[in-house]
Each structure stands twice: as C-alpha cells, then as structure tokens.
Amino acid sequence: MTNVNDQQPSGARSDWEARIARRSDDSGVRPASELPPPAGLTARDGVGHVRVSWQPVDGAVGYLVHRAPSGDGTPDGGFTPVDHLGGDVLAMPDTWYVDTTGEPGRRYAYAVASVPEVTLTGPLSEPVPATAQPAGDDPPTVSLRLDAAADGSALHRPWRPMIGSERLSQLLCRDTSGGREIGIELLAALRRVHDEIGVDAVRAHAILHDDLGVYREVDGQPVYDFSRVDEVYDLLLSVGLRPVVEIGFMPGQLASDPERTVFGYRGVISPPRDWDRWADLVRALVAHLLDRYGEQVLGWDFEVWNEANLEVFWSGTREEWMRLYDVTARAVKDVDPRIPVGGPSSAAAGWVDALLEHTAASGAPVDFVSTHTYGSPPLDLRPTLARLGVPDARILWTEWGVTPTHFHPVNDGASAAAFLLTGMRSAAGRVDALSYWVASDHFEELGRPPRLLHGGFGLITVGGIAKPRYHALWMLAQLGDTELPVTADGDGAAGLVQTWASRRDDGGLAILVWNSTLDQSKRDGDASLARRVRLTVDGAAGWPATVTRLDREHGDVTTLAQRLGVGDWPTDEQWEALRAVDTLPAEKVQPASDGGACVIDLALPQPGVVLVELPGA
C-alpha cells in the first residue's frame, strides 16, 4: 500500500510503505508447473487503445501482458509487463486486455505469458505489433445488439455475499469524525449496502482485539468476555447482515510479542505464546456464538487471520502461520464440524498453493479459499483448487478494490466505478464472493479521515454521501435474474466498452453499458477514449426507456464538491447541496424504432456508465 497521502505524517507514511511492501518468505513451496504461452495472440488497433486477445491455456489462473517498443514490428528492447498502476497483481484472469498506457501513434510489440500461480510466470508468446490511433474529430461508434426474448442464462451476483468494513468495535464508538458520530454512521452505511444493494455479510478485522476485551488472564488463568462481541454482532444482525468471523488479531496477554502491532489501533500480529490457550479461546468464541445465535452460525464463514504473507500482519514465520491455521481450523470444527472455515486470507493471491499443499499433509479442514487483490480483476483460482485436490472449495475474495493504497484519489471518482463493474463482470460465475473493501470512509487503519474527499476506501463518505463506486454497485443491483447475450462491434467493442444485459422476472430489461480502462493514469478521463454507443434491442419496438448515467458529470461527488468549493469539511449548506449526488437521477426517453427493434443512441465518456431500463411491452 504505497503513495499514502501527504496529509499523513511523513514518518508514519514512509514506515508503512516500507513494511507493507515486504512479503514473507515463500521458500519451500513447490511451484506449479510452468505453462506454455497462449496461442492465437492478436492485437487490434483502436483510437486511444490497443485490444490484445489470446486463447486460454489449461491450468492458468491468469495471464501477464508484456510490451516493448517496436519501430518496425520487431521489439526494439526488452519486454516488460504493462503496468496500469493498480499497485498490486498485474496478471489478468481474462483472455483479453485493453492497453491505454501507450503513446498514440507509437508502434509496440505485445506478448503474453501464462500464469499458473501468482508468483510464477511462464515464457512469452510470439509477439504481435499494434499501434493505438490518435483521436479524430468525432468519437468512434460501438454497436450493441441483443434480443429481448433470448433464452439467456442465470445471472451471477458476486457482489452480494459480502462487503468489507472497518473493525466492528467502531460501531460502538461515540467519537466524531468530520463532525459526524462514527458508530452511528458506520452502521447506517452497512444498513444501506444491505437494503439497497442486497449484501448479505460483513467481513472486518480484529474481532479478538483488546478493545473488545475478549481475553485476559487472572492469577495466570484465562478469562473470556464476549459481551462486546455480542454488542457488535447484535448491531450487524439488526440491519440484516451476518458477520464473516475473521479470527484475529492476537489478544495482548496471549501474544508471544505484544509489542508487534499493526495500524493506528495496534492490532497485535505475533503468534500466541501458548498454542493450547489460543485453541481454547477459539473454541470458547465459537461455542459462545453458537449458543447465543443458534444454528444460523452454521452459515457464517470463519476465516483464519489476515494477510499473514505480509510481514506487517504476521511477525512469525510461514511455518508458524501454517500451525496457526491448523490449530484454529480444528478448534472451530471441534465445536461443530458443519461450521465453514478457511484461509489463507492472503495479500495479492499469495499462499493459496502453500496452504492447500500444507493442509493436504496436515489434514486440517479447508471449506473455502480466501485471498485478496487490488487494481485488477481477481485471478481465476479454479485451476489451482483442481490441481491441489479441493475443486469443490468455495472461492472468496474477501478484499478487493481499485487500489491497495490508503488515501489515493482514485478511490473517490468515477473511474473507480467503471473499474468495479469490470471486475464484477469478470468474476461472475467463477467466484463465490468478491467483497469490495470497504463500505464506509469511517475507517482508521492509518488514522481518521482528514477531510471529506481524502481518497478513502469507503463506498460512502463520512456524512453518508454515496461515491461513484457505491452507485456502480447500486446499478448492478438493478440487473434481473437472467443474463442476456450481447453482440458488440466497432472500435472499443467488448473491451473498452463492456456490457451486462439482463431480463427481469416481469419481462423488463436492465442493460448496463460502461466505458473503462484499468489504466489509472486515465482516472480523470481521456477524451480519445470516449465512444458513441448504438444499442439495438430486438423485440422491443415501442418500449419506453429509462436512462441513468454515472460519470464525472453525473453522480460524482468529487466534481460537485469542487464546484461547491468544499474545503476539508463541508459547511452545513454544502452538506445539503452534496445530497444532490447521493442518488442517481433517471431520464425518461422514447427510443427510435427499427422494424421490431428499439434503438437508443448514447454518448459514453471515459469513465462513464449507463443503465438502460426497458419495462417491457
């Protein structure tokens, strides 16, 4: 997590940057076999971009696109991975990639390598040349077509199973941030993602942190107190959400080194000084939850620790963490073997192979595999699970977002909304959950928010204003249960411009169209990437339509705040004015008719999203 905002103290910022970059040792882990490069590589020139595509490789969890200057069609120098500035894993799960990082008019050579697991990249394919074209006077047109009566298939919703949150003790906090009471607003944000987006569960750190008082020793004997855990879980359940129980961090009196901590709230990251007492604590917690909340707990996921493959989150060795996993998972199952448990809850898709190889030998249970990534769609872990003998384990990406960087401006604007749609579309059907990190800007890992628009991870600001990423999730929630196929043609089709079309149970249609690049240097938009879109829906002649827009001029709190002249925190009058972007206005339109089809013409900036709703005949 780099490039922390300059508002943070420079010493704390540089210390965090140095520590977060350090990965724990992966030595001793048997790598996956090297895979051949993809075949069928093509590169298609377009205005402002190049679309590279290839054939899938059996066993690959992703692909890494490389580029080199190529004046005459042959590489002028060494290939390097295309860096879209996501700050994390650059490999892609899909068999295509849109590159907007090159210089228009300059010729490049592209090559792609298969990725069998996140730390291993295979040889490069044969290169192909391409050149992004300069923009002309008018944006190119992308033509989209679908049939309102098509059979379709079940629409997968990877955003619904869970969302991330600040540690849940903050629900009990009566302090203010930006003049707003923290606990009240955090709960309101969680209620909103449940009610408006349909999210089912919340994943958060530090349920065993000392601020909830779960563990102490009296006369050398353990004493448990889960009353404050009950308070926060009662609040979650009151708004319709269930917890994902991330088991950590270490209570101070149980830690082998209580001075090894992370974040401003000092979560203890060392192994236990007594492994039996750790197991007893886990069993006591799980038994208490089952006793208090009943059999609904059998549907809660219990996740072991957080990002132990980063030294900042685990001061022990990899072998010690594997022991922690075994002890913890078995303690959960001791209470009730039906309760799901998993991990490694790792950064950047690390340690997945290592955990599964370890548990194959140790016999510890793994009901789900959980990991994290930022800045790109999540890798496809299904080949890994099949290779390591757990093909039926669920895949939970328990943290995902546009950037791993605290206080990054990309978090606040419209480009992150289009990124969110791209990632959810990519993950649909191959993951069980893709949990956006996090619901609210009431979040204080590196300190409380210094101002309204501080590049916070939250979908909702302090003060309860929806950011564009929240609006993108709301738009996804409007999709129907049946996904409809779409054909796309033109410069930018099925890459720069993407779609997700659906039919609702009442026969109406909801169609999302967005213009997006992963390239974060374009987060404020690039006119050369703008497109016109002609959407044709067969079987919908005469149907009225509703069009809802999300871009820098529609629903973007950063644009409105700038126009209002908002300083660090809004005035009372500015708070009221900012409510104008808390919901997205819809426009009624009457599409043109073309035979039995309706036709809607749209201007689509980059970044830009349009939701088209057709209520049916």
Side-chain angles (χ1 to χ4, degrees):
M1 300 184 184
T2 55
N3 302 322
V4 178
N5 182 282
D6 288 341
Q7 291 292 324
Q8 297 303 301
S10 60
R13 181 170 69 250
S14 60
D15 174 66
W16 178 257
E17 291 176 358
R19 291 190 297 146
I20 199 69
R22 292 200 293 267
R23 299 291 193 262
S24 296
D25 184 16
D26 275 323
S27 63
V29 179
R30 187 182 75 249
S33 300
E34 185 177 275
L35 295 177
L41 182 65
T42 63
R44 190 169 69 204
D45 300 350
V47 172
H49 78 289
V50 170
R51 186 184 189 277
V52 187
S53 61
W54 54 89
Q55 295 174 9
V57 174
D58 187 39
V61 301
Y63 307 89
L64 190 58
V65 179
H66 293 66
R67 191 182 70 196
S70 177
D72 61 358
T74 59
D76 296 339
F79 280 95
T80 57
V82 177
D83 187 355
H84 48 257
L85 306 180
D88 204 349
V89 177
L90 293 177
M92 299 293 298
D94 302 298
T95 56
W96 58 271
Y97 182 82
V98 172
D99 179 24
T100 63
T101 68
E103 178 184 343
R106 186 178 184 185
R107 193 171 181 83
Y108 296 94
Y110 289 87
V112 180
S114 303
V115 176
E117 60 103 359
V118 72
T119 61
L120 182 65
T121 302
L124 290 176
S125 66
E126 289 298 315
V128 295
T131 306
Q133 302 301 314
D137 293 335
D138 297 310
T141 296
V142 172
S143 297
L144 307 173
R145 191 167 201 128
L146 66 143
D147 184 348
D151 289 339
S153 57
L155 189 137
H156 295 270
R157 302 175 186 271
W159 62 89
R160 287 195 61 174
M162 72 177 72
I163 200 79
S165 175
E166 174 58 273
R167 70 195 196 282
L168 297 178
S169 62
Q170 291 304 90
L171 290 171
L172 310 178
C173 182
R174 297 296 171 255
D175 293 351
T176 61
S177 183
R180 324 295 285 210
E181 188 169 317
I182 292 170
I184 289 174
E185 285 208 343
L186 177 56
L187 185 64
L190 294 175
R191 178 186 289 111
R192 188 172 180 183
V193 297
H194 172 269
D195 292 350
E196 297 183 2
I197 298 171
V199 172
D200 295 326
V202 173
R203 187 251 185 189
H205 302 325
I207 201 62
L208 298 181
H209 190 280
D210 287 336
D211 67 1
L212 288 175
V214 297
Y215 181 93
R216 60 193 175 96
E217 294 183 3
V218 178
D219 297 328
Q221 296 303 310
V223 176
Y224 310 130
D225 182 354
F226 300 122
S227 59
R228 287 174 65 81
V229 173
D230 295 343
E231 288 184 64
V232 298
Y233 283 176
D234 287 353
L235 285 169
L236 275 191
L237 294 166
S238 75
V239 298
L241 293 163
R242 68 179 187 275
V244 174
V245 185
E246 180 200 292
I247 304 176
F249 295 108
M250 191 63 60
Q253 290 193 24
L254 186 53
S256 58
D257 186 353
E259 297 306 311
R260 297 295 297 272
T261 65
V262 67
F263 299 142
Y265 59 77
R266 295 181 59 81
V268 180
I269 62 168
S270 73
R273 60 176 177 79
D274 185 317
W275 291 91
D276 290 337
R277 289 192 176 184
W278 169 257
D280 289 343
L281 170 62
V282 173
R283 278 189 288 267
L285 171 66
V286 178
H288 171 80
L289 295 176
L290 193 58
D291 179 64
R292 180 177 179 84
Y293 298 110
E295 291 210 345
Q296 67 173 310
V297 175
L298 303 181
W300 297 4
D301 288 317
F302 285 72
E303 185 180 34
V304 181
W305 212 255
N306 176 73
E307 296 190 354
N309 63 323
L310 298 183
E311 292 183 11
V312 72
F313 287 112
W314 180 247
S315 66
T317 64
R318 182 175 67 85
E319 289 71 22
E320 286 175 309
W321 185 83
M322 294 297 169
R323 181 182 181 186
L324 184 87
Y325 182 86
D326 287 353
V327 170
T328 306
R330 286 182 172 128
V332 171
K333 295 291 189 178
D334 284 346
V335 178
D336 194 309
R338 296 173 293 175
I339 296 175
V341 65
S345 185
S346 53
W351 284 14
V352 171
D353 297 61
L355 174 64
L356 295 180
E357 288 191 349
H358 169 80
T359 55
S362 74
V366 182
D367 298 305
F368 61 84
V369 168
S370 64
T371 188
H372 308 155
T373 198
Y374 289 86
S376 299
L379 297 175
D380 186 353
L381 296 181
R382 292 175 297 178
T384 298
L385 272 58
R387 174 169 54 84
L388 294 174
V390 287
D392 297 327
R394 288 179 296 131
I395 299 172
L396 309 181
W397 292 84
T398 51
E399 286 186 30
W400 176 72
V402 67
T403 178
T405 304
H406 292 72
F407 306 103
H408 195 304
V410 75
N411 281 314
D412 291 336
S415 66
F419 165 87
L420 185 151
L421 296 177
T422 295
M424 292 292 179
R425 185 74 172 94
S426 171
R430 59 179 178 82
V431 308
D432 294 280
L434 184 55
S435 176
Y436 203 91
W437 190 257
V438 291
S440 171
D441 266 351
H442 283 293
F443 186 83
E444 53 186 70
E445 289 182 349
L446 297 188
R448 290 179 178 169
R451 57 191 177 279
L452 176 68
L453 297 175
H454 62 282
F457 288 138
L459 298 167
I460 299 171
T461 72
V462 172
I465 308 295
K467 295 186 191 179
R469 285 173 291 132
Y470 180 88
H471 290 316
L473 280 176
W474 178 86
M475 289 172 138
L476 285 171
Q478 309 314 303
L479 294 176
D481 289 335
T482 302
E483 181 177 335
L484 300 177
V486 178
T487 59
D489 296 292
D491 184 341
L496 189 68
V497 175
Q498 298 180 61
T499 61
W500 208 344
S502 69
R503 184 172 55 241
R504 296 168 175 162
D505 290 344
D506 63 3
L509 306 182
I511 305 161
L512 269 173
V513 185
W514 66 96
N515 185 341
S516 176
T517 171
L518 297 178
D519 176 11
Q520 292 191 18
S521 73
K522 307 295 191 300
R523 68 173 182 257
D524 293 328
D526 184 334
S528 71
L529 301 179
R531 293 297 185 267
R532 296 186 186 278
V533 172
R534 169 156 285 201
L535 173 64
T536 302
V537 183
D538 292 319
W543 292 11
T546 300
V547 174
T548 305
R549 297 181 179 275
L550 173 59
D551 51 47
R552 297 199 71 203
E553 298 300 320
H554 302 85
D556 190 333
V557 65
T558 66
T559 302
L560 181 55
Q562 184 176 22
R563 287 175 180 164
L564 293 172
V566 173
D568 284 351
W569 295 105
T571 64
D572 290 345
E573 292 78 12
Q574 288 171 335
W575 276 121
E576 186 62 31
L578 287 169
R579 299 285 166 198
V581 293
D582 191 48
T583 56
L584 295 176
E587 175 189 2
K588 301 288 187 182
V589 300
Q590 185 59 53
S593 293
D594 181 7
C598 75
V599 180
I600 302 172
D601 289 308
L602 304 164
L604 194 62
Q606 180 278 317
V609 186
V610 176
L611 171 65
V612 178
E613 296 174 278
L614 298 160

